[in-house]
Amino acid sequence: MNLEIILHAGLATGTILLFAAIGEIFAERAGVMNLGVEGMMLLGAMAGFSTSLATQNAWLGLIMAIFAGGILSLAHGLVTIHFQADQVVSGLSLTFLGTGLALVLGEGLTGQNPPLIPNVSLPILASIPFLGSVFFTNHSILVYVGYLFIPLTWYYIYKTRPGMHLRAVGEKPSAADTLGINVYRVRYFYVFVGGCLAGLAGATISLSVSPGWYSSQTTSGQGWIAVAIVIFAQWNPVRAAVGGYLFGMLRRFILDLQGPALLFGFQNPIFMNHNLSFFLQMTPFLLTIVALVWGSQAAMRKRLGSPAALGIPYIRGERGL
Amino acid sequence: MSSISNQPSPPLAVEMHDIVIRFPGVLANDHVNLTLKRGEIHALLGENGAGKSTLMNSLAGLYKPVSGVIKVNGEVVNFNSPRDAISKGIGMVYQHFMLVPTQTVTENILLGLKEPRFFVNLSIYNKKIQALQEQFGLRVDPSAQIWQLSVGEQQRVEILKTLYRGANILILDEPTAVLAPQEIDDLMKTMRRLVEQDKSILFITHKLNEVTAVADRLTVLRKGKVTAEGIGIEGVTREKLAELMVGRKIIFQVDKKSQKPGEVVLEVKNVSALNNKGFPALKNVSINLHQGEILGFAGIAGNGQSELAEVITGLRSCSGSIKINGKQVANQPPGKSIDIGVSHIPEDRTGVGTAPNMSITENTIMKNYDQEPIGNRWKINFTSAREYATRLKDKYEILAPSISTQARKLSGGNLQKLILAREISCCPSLMVAVQPTRGLDVGAIEAIQNLLLEQRENGTAILLISEELEELLSLCDRIAVIYEGELMGVVEAADANLTNIGLMMTGSMRSQA
Ligand SMILES: Nc1ncnc2c1ncn2[C@@H]1O[C@H](COP(=O)(O)OP(=O)(O)O)[C@@H](O)[C@H]1O
Ligand SMILES: [Mg+2]
C-alpha cells in the first residue's frame, strides 16, 4: 500500500477511461448517445493487439484500433442518424456486435506477446519531487497524450468554430440547420470521432496499460464506466478526465487492499476472506451508479448538463423539435 | 426564354408565383402568389394552419415547393437549403425561435458563418455586434446566454442574426404572438427603422391593428389559398379582414351575460412563493374568487402570474393558505387539486399542457384515465377512451386528421382547444387559465373566449391570467393587477380605467380599495 503507486497506476488506467469518455462526450454533444462504447473498446483492443502481433509494430496496431472503433461506430451512425432509430437500442446492439466480433476475431490471441507502446519518463519534469514520479515517470506515451488531450478538447469544444457548431447541433439542431450547418454530417463526424477514441481506449488497455488479450475480460466493463463518467462530468472533458483518473486510482486502491496480509499493523480482513474482495471489486460500479444518480439530479437542479437534443433524431421541418 | 425584362421599374424584392407545397394529407400552399416590393412592409395574414409559415419556409430554403417560381430581386432562384436563401439576402425569424439556449448571443449570431475560421475570439465579435445594434437600435447584451434573455430580447437576437448575414429581405413569422404590448411597440419601431435603411419585410400576423400600424400592403391566405393578394391597407376594416381570413363573419363583441357571482370557491391567503431561480415571485398575495365569476390577472409577463397559477394547481410549493371549496390545497400534490375539480390551462401548451408525442386520445384522457368507464385500477379501456376522444374532438371542433394524430402535429388553436376540452370535461369547479388565447388567430380566439364564458355561465370560477387588457376587460368581472409578485389592486371590470391599470402594471400606482 503505497500512495505514490496508487496515484501512478490510477493515472495509467484512468487514461483508458479518459479517451473513451471524451469520445462519448463528442458524440453526445452532437446529440447522439452511443451506448456501444464497451463493444467499440473491445474491438479496438483486439484489433490493436492482433495488428501489432501481425506487423510487429505497436503504432500500426494503435492506428488499426482507432480505425476499428471508428468503423464500428458508423454502423450506429447509420442506424440512428440516417434511419432515425432509437439510440439506446442501437447502442446496446452495438455493444453486442462489437463484443461478438472481437471475441471471434480475437480467437487464439491469448498469451501472445506483440510489441507494446513504450513507457517513457519525461526529462526534467520527472525530477520534480513526488509529482514528477507520479505524473511524469515511466508512463506509457499514451498517458502523456491523455494529458494533452484534456486542455485541447476543452478548448476545441468551447472556443473554436467547429466546437461551437458541435454544441449547437446537440442543443438545438433546427437552429443549426437554418443557419446552413449540415446536422447529419456533424453528427456522423462526431459519432465517428467517438468510435475512434473508444478504439484508442481499447488499444490503450491491450497494448499498454494492462497488455494482453483476455477476451471480454480485457475491457471488463470499463466502457460502461466511461458512459457513467460522461454524465458525472456533465459533458465537460476536464471533469471527465478528473473522473477517469479518480476511478483509475480507486481500482488500484482496491487491488492493493487485497494484497498484504497485514494492513497498518492489523490483520487484513480482505486477505483472510476472499468473498469480501468480490464486494470490493464491485465498488467502482457501485460508485458509477451513485455518480449517475447524483450527477443527473445535480444536472436537473441546475437545469444544465445534458445536451437538449440528446437521443432525438433530427428531421427537418418536423414540428415540435 | 420568355422574359419580362422590358419593364422599366426596379425589380421586386420577392416574387412568388403559383407556389404549391404539399404535406402528407395536406395541401399547405395551393397556387399561391405573393410579391414584396423593395423597402415595403408586407403583411401576410391567415388563420393558424392557413399555410403562412409553410410559404415563408419555402422562401427561406427550408421546404422545396412542388411547383412554382420564386424570384429574388428579379432573378429566378432554386433553394436547396437555408444556406442558399441566406446567400441571396433572405433572413427569416422563425415562429419558434431558432436559438441555442446554452450559447451566448454572439455565438448564436456567428453559427454557420465562414468567419471566424477556427479560433473564436468572442470579445472581438461582441464589439462588432454592438456596432450593428447601434445601427438598428436593437439592444441586447452580446455576452448573455440565450436562456437568460426575455422573449423580446431573444427576438432581437434573431433579427440581429439575419442582419449580421447582410439580409435585406426579412421574414418575421408571427413575431408579435409571444410579445408583451410594450415589446410589440418596440418591434414596430424597429421594423420602421429597418425599412428606412432599405430593407424589405414580410410580416406574418393575425392582428389588424398591427397591420395598419406598420404595413404598406397585405396578402391573406385561407386554407392554403390566397384570398386577397397584395392589397393596400387603406380602407381595410377589421371585420373585412377577419372574413377574408376565416371565411365567415366574426363578431368582435363577446356576449357576456350579467350574473351574480355565487359562493367563494378559491380563497388565497398570504401566499408567497419563489420562482425557478430562487427569487421571490409572489409576495403575500390574498384574493378570493366566486362561483360563476371570471377574475382577471393583469400584469407584464414575469411578474408572478405563472407562479400564482402553479401554486394553485399544486405545481409549486409556497407559504400561506390556499383553499378551494374549503379544502387546503397549498403544497399538496397536483392530484389533489384535480380531485377537487381544478382545471389548468397552462401557458406552455406543449411542455405542460400536452404530451406532444402522444395521440389526441391519450392527451384527452390524461386526467380521467383512472375513472370508469375509461379505466379502472389497472387497465385502460381504449375503446371507450377513443369514443371519449372522438366526442370531445367533435364537440370542441378540434381539426386534426384523426384522434390518433400526435398532439404536436396540431396547430396552436387546435392544440389549445384540445387542452380546454380535456380540462372543461374533467374539472368543473375552478379553472386556472394562463394566456389561453396568446398567439391564436381570430377564429380560435373567438372559440376559446366563448368556451370560457360558457364555463362562467355554468358556475365555474375562472382565474384568467392574460396580458391582453382588451381581453380581460371584455371577459372578466373583476381585474387584479400584479407587479413584482405583489397585488397592486383589484378593480371591477365594468368601471375599470385603462390608464390606471397600466400604471398599476408598471408599479407606479396602487389602488386604495
Ligand atoms: N412539417 C409538417 N408536416 C406535416 N404537415 C405540416 C407540416 N408543417 C405544416 N403542416 C400543415 O400544413 C398546413 C399549414 O401549416 P402552417 O404553414 O404552419 O400554417 P400557419 O403558419 O399559417 O399557421 C397545416 O395544415 C399544417 O398542419
Ligand atoms: Mg405559422
Side-chain angles (χ1 to χ4, degrees), chain B residues 284-300:
Chain B
N284 231 352
V285 173
S286 301
I287 198 148
N288 286 351
L289 173 57
H290 306 83
Q291 273 178 352
E293 180 188 39
I294 301 186
L295 170 67
F297 257 85
I300 296 163

PDB file of all heavy atoms in Angstrom, chain B residues 284-300:
ATOM      1  N   ASN B 284     -47.008  37.679  -0.446  1.00  0.00           N
ATOM      2  CA  ASN B 284     -48.155  37.935   0.403  1.00  0.00           C
ATOM      3  C   ASN B 284     -49.441  38.242  -0.367  1.00  0.00           C
ATOM      4  O   ASN B 284     -50.119  39.218  -0.098  1.00  0.00           O
ATOM      5  CB  ASN B 284     -47.833  39.136   1.293  1.00  0.00           C
ATOM      6  CG  ASN B 284     -48.111  38.795   2.739  1.00  0.00           C
ATOM      7  OD1 ASN B 284     -48.672  37.730   3.014  1.00  0.00           O
ATOM      8  ND2 ASN B 284     -47.741  39.670   3.633  1.00  0.00           N
ATOM      9  N   VAL B 285     -49.750  37.383  -1.301  1.00  0.00           N
ATOM     10  CA  VAL B 285     -50.927  37.620  -2.130  1.00  0.00           C
ATOM     11  C   VAL B 285     -52.172  37.028  -1.468  1.00  0.00           C
ATOM     12  O   VAL B 285     -52.160  35.887  -1.019  1.00  0.00           O
ATOM     13  CB  VAL B 285     -50.734  36.987  -3.528  1.00  0.00           C
ATOM     14  CG1 VAL B 285     -52.011  37.080  -4.343  1.00  0.00           C
ATOM     15  CG2 VAL B 285     -49.585  37.663  -4.257  1.00  0.00           C
ATOM     16  N   SER B 286     -53.235  37.818  -1.375  1.00  0.00           N
ATOM     17  CA  SER B 286     -54.505  37.321  -0.848  1.00  0.00           C
ATOM     18  C   SER B 286     -55.618  37.729  -1.804  1.00  0.00           C
ATOM     19  O   SER B 286     -55.691  38.893  -2.203  1.00  0.00           O
ATOM     20  CB  SER B 286     -54.807  37.923   0.524  1.00  0.00           C
ATOM     21  OG  SER B 286     -53.767  37.607   1.418  1.00  0.00           O
ATOM     22  N   ILE B 287     -56.476  36.790  -2.153  1.00  0.00           N
ATOM     23  CA  ILE B 287     -57.593  37.123  -3.037  1.00  0.00           C
ATOM     24  C   ILE B 287     -58.653  36.027  -2.988  1.00  0.00           C
ATOM     25  O   ILE B 287     -58.326  34.866  -2.701  1.00  0.00           O
ATOM     26  CB  ILE B 287     -57.100  37.346  -4.476  1.00  0.00           C
ATOM     27  CG1 ILE B 287     -58.145  38.114  -5.282  1.00  0.00           C
ATOM     28  CG2 ILE B 287     -56.757  36.042  -5.158  1.00  0.00           C
ATOM     29  CD1 ILE B 287     -57.549  39.001  -6.315  1.00  0.00           C
ATOM     30  N   ASN B 288     -59.902  36.398  -3.234  1.00  0.00           N
ATOM     31  CA  ASN B 288     -60.991  35.425  -3.278  1.00  0.00           C
ATOM     32  C   ASN B 288     -61.601  35.376  -4.674  1.00  0.00           C
ATOM     33  O   ASN B 288     -61.569  36.355  -5.407  1.00  0.00           O
ATOM     34  CB  ASN B 288     -62.102  35.809  -2.296  1.00  0.00           C
ATOM     35  CG  ASN B 288     -61.689  35.526  -0.871  1.00  0.00           C
ATOM     36  OD1 ASN B 288     -60.656  34.892  -0.639  1.00  0.00           O
ATOM     37  ND2 ASN B 288     -62.464  36.013   0.068  1.00  0.00           N
ATOM     38  N   LEU B 289     -62.188  34.235  -4.986  1.00  0.00           N
ATOM     39  CA  LEU B 289     -62.822  34.072  -6.292  1.00  0.00           C
ATOM     40  C   LEU B 289     -64.101  33.264  -6.104  1.00  0.00           C
ATOM     41  O   LEU B 289     -64.124  32.280  -5.357  1.00  0.00           O
ATOM     42  CB  LEU B 289     -61.837  33.358  -7.231  1.00  0.00           C
ATOM     43  CG  LEU B 289     -62.299  32.924  -8.607  1.00  0.00           C
ATOM     44  CD1 LEU B 289     -62.835  34.100  -9.401  1.00  0.00           C
ATOM     45  CD2 LEU B 289     -61.125  32.300  -9.366  1.00  0.00           C
ATOM     46  N   HIS B 290     -65.182  33.716  -6.786  1.00  0.00           N
ATOM     47  CA  HIS B 290     -66.502  33.121  -6.552  1.00  0.00           C
ATOM     48  C   HIS B 290     -66.972  32.284  -7.722  1.00  0.00           C
ATOM     49  O   HIS B 290     -66.472  32.427  -8.831  1.00  0.00           O
ATOM     50  CB  HIS B 290     -67.532  34.224  -6.283  1.00  0.00           C
ATOM     51  CG  HIS B 290     -67.124  35.140  -5.185  1.00  0.00           C
ATOM     52  ND1 HIS B 290     -66.267  36.198  -5.393  1.00  0.00           N
ATOM     53  CD2 HIS B 290     -67.429  35.154  -3.872  1.00  0.00           C
ATOM     54  CE1 HIS B 290     -66.063  36.831  -4.244  1.00  0.00           C
ATOM     55  NE2 HIS B 290     -66.759  36.218  -3.303  1.00  0.00           N
ATOM     56  N   GLN B 291     -68.004  31.479  -7.441  1.00  0.00           N
ATOM     57  CA  GLN B 291     -68.670  30.714  -8.494  1.00  0.00           C
ATOM     58  C   GLN B 291     -69.170  31.631  -9.587  1.00  0.00           C
ATOM     59  O   GLN B 291     -69.708  32.702  -9.311  1.00  0.00           O
ATOM     60  CB  GLN B 291     -69.892  30.005  -7.897  1.00  0.00           C
ATOM     61  CG  GLN B 291     -69.576  28.661  -7.309  1.00  0.00           C
ATOM     62  CD  GLN B 291     -70.809  28.047  -6.689  1.00  0.00           C
ATOM     63  OE1 GLN B 291     -71.852  28.682  -6.582  1.00  0.00           O
ATOM     64  NE2 GLN B 291     -70.681  26.803  -6.263  1.00  0.00           N
ATOM     65  N   GLY B 292     -69.022  31.215 -10.827  1.00  0.00           N
ATOM     66  CA  GLY B 292     -69.573  31.984 -11.931  1.00  0.00           C
ATOM     67  C   GLY B 292     -68.929  33.337 -12.129  1.00  0.00           C
ATOM     68  O   GLY B 292     -69.528  34.239 -12.698  1.00  0.00           O
ATOM     69  N   GLU B 293     -67.711  33.454 -11.651  1.00  0.00           N
ATOM     70  CA  GLU B 293     -67.026  34.739 -11.783  1.00  0.00           C
ATOM     71  C   GLU B 293     -65.720  34.543 -12.546  1.00  0.00           C
ATOM     72  O   GLU B 293     -65.043  33.527 -12.362  1.00  0.00           O
ATOM     73  CB  GLU B 293     -66.716  35.303 -10.388  1.00  0.00           C
ATOM     74  CG  GLU B 293     -66.000  36.636 -10.432  1.00  0.00           C
ATOM     75  CD  GLU B 293     -65.531  37.087  -9.052  1.00  0.00           C
ATOM     76  OE1 GLU B 293     -65.065  36.242  -8.259  1.00  0.00           O
ATOM     77  OE2 GLU B 293     -65.620  38.281  -8.773  1.00  0.00           O
ATOM     78  N   ILE B 294     -65.389  35.510 -13.399  1.00  0.00           N
ATOM     79  CA  ILE B 294     -64.061  35.475 -14.024  1.00  0.00           C
ATOM     80  C   ILE B 294     -63.227  36.581 -13.401  1.00  0.00           C
ATOM     81  O   ILE B 294     -63.576  37.760 -13.468  1.00  0.00           O
ATOM     82  CB  ILE B 294     -64.126  35.673 -15.549  1.00  0.00           C
ATOM     83  CG1 ILE B 294     -64.991  34.589 -16.201  1.00  0.00           C
ATOM     84  CG2 ILE B 294     -62.722  35.635 -16.144  1.00  0.00           C
ATOM     85  CD1 ILE B 294     -64.994  34.622 -17.714  1.00  0.00           C
ATOM     86  N   LEU B 295     -62.134  36.158 -12.750  1.00  0.00           N
ATOM     87  CA  LEU B 295     -61.224  37.121 -12.148  1.00  0.00           C
ATOM     88  C   LEU B 295     -59.995  37.193 -13.039  1.00  0.00           C
ATOM     89  O   LEU B 295     -59.315  36.192 -13.258  1.00  0.00           O
ATOM     90  CB  LEU B 295     -60.840  36.671 -10.740  1.00  0.00           C
ATOM     91  CG  LEU B 295     -59.708  37.458 -10.080  1.00  0.00           C
ATOM     92  CD1 LEU B 295     -60.128  38.888  -9.793  1.00  0.00           C
ATOM     93  CD2 LEU B 295     -59.266  36.777  -8.788  1.00  0.00           C
ATOM     94  N   GLY B 296     -59.720  38.371 -13.583  1.00  0.00           N
ATOM     95  CA  GLY B 296     -58.566  38.524 -14.448  1.00  0.00           C
ATOM     96  C   GLY B 296     -57.335  38.904 -13.660  1.00  0.00           C
ATOM     97  O   GLY B 296     -57.430  39.577 -12.629  1.00  0.00           O
ATOM     98  N   PHE B 297     -56.183  38.444 -14.135  1.00  0.00           N
ATOM     99  CA  PHE B 297     -54.926  38.898 -13.552  1.00  0.00           C
ATOM    100  C   PHE B 297     -54.156  39.633 -14.635  1.00  0.00           C
ATOM    101  O   PHE B 297     -53.703  39.025 -15.591  1.00  0.00           O
ATOM    102  CB  PHE B 297     -54.113  37.726 -12.999  1.00  0.00           C
ATOM    103  CG  PHE B 297     -54.200  37.626 -11.515  1.00  0.00           C
ATOM    104  CD1 PHE B 297     -55.257  36.953 -10.925  1.00  0.00           C
ATOM    105  CD2 PHE B 297     -53.248  38.224 -10.702  1.00  0.00           C
ATOM    106  CE1 PHE B 297     -55.351  36.875  -9.543  1.00  0.00           C
ATOM    107  CE2 PHE B 297     -53.344  38.145  -9.324  1.00  0.00           C
ATOM    108  CZ  PHE B 297     -54.397  37.474  -8.741  1.00  0.00           C
ATOM    109  N   ALA B 298     -54.033  40.943 -14.481  1.00  0.00           N
ATOM    110  CA  ALA B 298     -53.280  41.712 -15.461  1.00  0.00           C
ATOM    111  C   ALA B 298     -51.875  41.926 -14.924  1.00  0.00           C
ATOM    112  O   ALA B 298     -51.673  41.985 -13.712  1.00  0.00           O
ATOM    113  CB  ALA B 298     -53.957  43.053 -15.700  1.00  0.00           C
ATOM    114  N   GLY B 299     -50.931  42.040 -15.825  1.00  0.00           N
ATOM    115  CA  GLY B 299     -49.559  42.273 -15.412  1.00  0.00           C
ATOM    116  C   GLY B 299     -48.646  41.959 -16.570  1.00  0.00           C
ATOM    117  O   GLY B 299     -49.013  41.213 -17.478  1.00  0.00           O
ATOM    118  N   ILE B 300     -47.471  42.559 -16.531  1.00  0.00           N
ATOM    119  CA  ILE B 300     -46.495  42.269 -17.575  1.00  0.00           C
ATOM    120  C   ILE B 300     -45.890  40.904 -17.268  1.00  0.00           C
ATOM    121  O   ILE B 300     -45.681  40.567 -16.094  1.00  0.00           O
ATOM    122  CB  ILE B 300     -45.418  43.371 -17.603  1.00  0.00           C
ATOM    123  CG1 ILE B 300     -46.083  44.697 -17.980  1.00  0.00           C
ATOM    124  CG2 ILE B 300     -44.312  43.032 -18.581  1.00  0.00           C
ATOM    125  CD1 ILE B 300     -45.268  45.917 -17.669  1.00  0.00           C
TER     126      ILE B 300
END
